[in-house]
Amino acid sequence: MILFTSDTNSKRQQMAKTGFIYLLVSLFFVLFGAVYEYFSHEVYSYFMLYAFAIPLVGGVLPYFSLAYFDRLHVPNRAICNIYNSGIATLTVGSCITGVLGIYGTTNRLTNIYWIVGFVFLAIAVILYLASLIFSDKNKA
């Protein structure tokens, strides 16, 4: 039992560390967006302005929730990796779309970022819910 408890605490510490890293990434995109907008000759893109919100809402909130609420089931590493890939893809897609918008052009290939990002997130959520269901069946 003690080994299981220490393993859970270790996973929760890892969730808190990942949430803090997402907080730093959000701050980076706030600064990156501000500097890019400053040098863009007063041309603005909402994709660039709000690129920080994706890692903030999609990374900081879920990971800090998993770290600090004991009732939540901590996902395994594979699910976290898929989820992190989805957040990274959406963030980069927002940044690229913002850069192209500020430049004054569009590209339909930027839609691939949104599709792949949401597919990764959907797969991670489905796997997380499946792990919840199977862990409840194993406890019973």
Side-chain angles (χ1 to χ4, degrees), residues 56-134:
L56 185 67
V57 174
V60 174
L61 294 178
Y63 278 104
F64 279 162
S65 298
L66 288 169
Y68 295 115
F69 294 121
D70 291 335
R71 301 198 78 199
L72 294 176
H73 173 72
V74 178
N76 63 19
R77 193 71 233 157
I79 294 172
C80 289
N81 287 342
I82 294 170
Y83 185 79
N84 293 340
S85 297
I87 295 296
T89 304
L90 291 175
T91 305
V92 169
S94 179
C95 192
I96 298 277
T97 304
V99 167
L100 290 176
I102 290 171
Y103 182 67
T105 187
T106 59
N107 191 337
R108 61 188 170 98
L109 295 176
T110 57
N111 294 333
I112 293 174
Y113 286 107
W114 303 103
I115 294 168
V116 171
F118 283 120
V119 166
F120 276 151
L121 291 180
I123 290 170
V125 168
I126 290 169
L127 290 175
Y128 178 71
L129 293 175
S131 72
L132 285 177
I133 292 169
F134 289 126

